[in-house]
Amino acid sequence: MLDYKNPNLIIETAEVEPGSIAWRSPSNLAIIKYWGKYGSQLPKNPSLSLTLSSSFTETLLEYSPKQSGDRNISLEFSFHQEPNEPFREKVLKFLESITDIFPFLRQLDLKISTGNSFPHSAGIASSASAMSALALCLCSLEEELFNTLEDDEAFDQKSSFVARLGSGSACRSIFPTAALWGQTGEVEGSSDLYAISMADEVHDIFKDFHDDILIASTAAKRVSSRAGHGLMDNHPFAEARYTDAKRKMHFLLEAMKKGDLEAFGKMAENEALTLHSLMMSSNPSYILLKPNTLEMIERVRRYREESKHPVYFSLDAGPNLHVLYPGEIIHEVRLFVEEELMPLCEEEKYLQDWVGDGPVQV
Ligand code: DP6
């Protein structure tokens, strides 16, 4: 199995000049969700996401040949210009886990400065944008030191593979518009090891597509996604869930190819509620939705019925509602969002996001 382990990626420290690399990488919203994993960060079912735009992480990686001769990873770390020990430890652990892929990391003094475009307290998960930005920096560093990832396809594939090891959903953030992660007979070239681009497989309507994120609560989650995935291992509905997700993939791909928003939206809402039903029926059970999340769902459905506008919702592993709609009806929908949904949000907060072109090197 492809593992990218490469003991030859060792530098001649005397020949390496200090340098830096920076990437901006967006978050993504899964329409068919990854929930349940096996082995080392491999998904129990394929997932498909829209790549977002305004919710991103920017990461600067500075490096210089190591001064000391030890083999530990030398890492200075800051988040929004401040040292942050819990985040540093998380990143350090991740870097240590991938030294077989990037052995040269032990030979450098590393400094990582990172930050998100969205407020840390917004209740928005940042692991997809953060881990994809870091993976892209590491692959650029390899390319700079060894010239090994010359073509874009090889670069994207390795970045996605490495991002996956940091956080599963991060592997989908590498690609513009839409990405698929997980082996499925529906799509040639799909893999559990990395995501692939679906930009050319979806209708143009998804290239001008909005996701307004309504902040129902910014309180820290009681159960992390990592723990939630774990609870799928003994879940009574697990097998039925994986079968259902695989079946839905066929219909979602068809709907997205045709630009059939009604079928797309039905799938998006069904997946969001399925994810939360799995949490509620886990042992132990937990609920991340808030009363206002449910009220907003009711209002979206009522608005859709009355206006006939193709406006749908999705949810991540949290209480915040993602309101999805095509750009051509933005004026009408924003009126609805601001009049009827915003007042239900914590401090009336919502974030405007949209489908974007994927990461950029900055
Ligand atoms: C509900 O990717 O955050 O957002 O691999 O443990 O880091 P780890 O989990 P993570 O799980 C994401 C779960 C989800 C659905 C999705 O994005 O597909």
Side-chain angles (χ1 to χ4, degrees):
M1 191 163 53
L2 173 72
D3 62 10
Y4 284 111
K5 287 183 185 162
N6 186 350
N8 299 325
L9 298 179
I10 292 287
I11 51 169
E12 219 37 84
T13 37
E15 287 167 17
V16 170
E17 295 285 325
S20 68
I21 285 152
W23 277 89
R24 168 186 293 186
S25 188
S27 185
N28 68 76
L29 172 74
I31 303 303
I32 289 187
K33 311 285 183 186
Y34 146 59
W35 200 242
K37 52 175 146 177
Y38 71 98
S40 100
Q41 292 281 96
L42 299 164
K44 283 282 203 172
N45 63 266
S47 57
L48 194 144
S49 58
L50 293 174
T51 303
L52 297 178
S53 192
S54 76
S55 308
F56 60 80
T57 297
E58 211 166 277
T59 297
L60 169 69
L61 169 65
E62 294 169 272
Y63 61 92
S64 54
K66 210 179 204 176
Q67 298 303 323
S68 74
D70 72 51
R71 285 182 44 80
N72 295 330
I73 289 191
S74 148
L75 175 66
E76 232 184 277
F77 182 89
S78 65
F79 179 67
H80 289 194
Q81 277 90 46
E82 302 276 339
N84 184 316
E85 200 42 37
F87 283 5
R88 193 188 88 90
E89 271 166 32
K90 208 172 152 186
V91 170
L92 185 63
K93 214 167 134 193
F94 172 58
L95 295 178
E96 273 162 358
S97 75
I98 53 173
T99 48
D100 284 348
I101 300 176
F102 302 117
F104 56 87
L105 291 177
R106 295 191 189 281
Q107 301 177 284
L108 298 167
D109 283 322
L110 302 168
K111 186 175 166 195
I112 293 177
S113 317
T114 185
N116 298 332
S117 61
F118 43 94
H120 183 48
S121 60
I124 302 287
S126 59
S127 69
S129 55
M131 284 302 175
S132 54
L134 182 56
L136 287 158
C137 286
L138 295 171
C139 288
S140 283
L141 179 55
E142 176 186 324
E143 166 61 9
E144 201 140 313
L145 298 174
F146 304 94
N147 261 319
T148 31
L149 294 167
E150 66 298 336
D151 73 76
D152 286 355
E153 207 175 313
F155 183 90
D156 288 352
Q157 183 172 304
K158 185 161 184 178
S159 303
S160 181
F161 181 100
V162 172
R164 184 200 99 230
L165 296 174
S167 178
S169 54
C171 74
R172 299 184 308 239
S173 277
I174 304 295
F175 302 96
T177 315
L180 172 86
W181 171 38
Q183 206 283 321
T184 162
E186 301 287 334
V187 182
E188 216 189 301
S190 58
S191 170
D192 284 356
L193 302 174
Y194 45 80
I196 57 174
S197 174
M198 295 300 282
D200 295 334
E201 311 301 322
V202 301
H203 192 274
D204 273 353
I205 199 146
F206 294 104
K207 293 183 181 155
D208 176 18
F209 205 73
H210 287 261
D211 175 6
D212 288 340
I213 308 167
L214 281 295
I215 310 298
S217 168
T218 60
K221 280 189 275 184
R222 270 192 316 110
V223 181
S224 69
S225 283
R226 199 146 287 201
H229 284 288
L231 290 175
M232 285 302 286
D233 289 346
N234 295 312
H235 200 293
F237 303 149
E239 287 316 313
R241 155 60 188 162
Y242 304 137
T243 307
D244 185 49
K246 289 172 194 163
R247 182 189 61 82
K248 278 184 197 145
M249 185 58 82
H250 172 78
F251 294 104
L252 181 68
L253 288 167
E254 214 170 73
M256 290 186 74
K257 198 170 195 127
K258 284 198 288 208
D260 179 346
L261 288 185
E262 199 180 329
F264 163 86
K266 205 168 153 186
M267 209 79 67
E269 295 192 352
N270 181 281
E271 268 294 293
L273 295 176
T274 299
L275 170 70
H276 284 267
S277 333
L278 290 166
M279 295 173 188
M280 292 183 211
S281 50
S282 290
N283 183 14
S285 151
Y286 64 110
I287 302 177
L288 299 182
L289 301 178
K290 298 287 177 201
N292 277 357
T293 317
L294 298 179
E295 179 57 31
M296 289 196 271
I297 288 175
E298 293 293 337
R299 291 188 187 190
V300 168
R301 287 185 162 170
R302 200 181 317 135
Y303 174 74
R304 181 167 73 232
E305 221 172 284
E306 287 168 3
S307 69
K308 310 284 181 232
H309 286 321
V311 182
Y312 300 91
F313 70 83
S314 182
L315 294 156
D316 251 333
N320 303 323
L321 197 74
H322 291 248
V323 177
L324 307 174
Y325 56 93
E328 63 199 23
I329 53 169
I330 188 165
H331 298 295
E332 301 90 305
V333 178
R334 280 277 163 78
L335 275 180
F336 157 70
V337 164
E338 297 193 356
E339 276 172 18
E340 289 203 47
L341 302 184
M342 220 171 84
L344 295 169
C345 292
E346 197 176 283
E347 295 173 4
E348 305 215 332
K349 259 195 279 192
Y350 87 101
L351 306 178
Q352 300 178 348
D353 214 331
W354 55 90
V355 170
D357 296 332
V360 280
Q361 192 163 6
V362 287

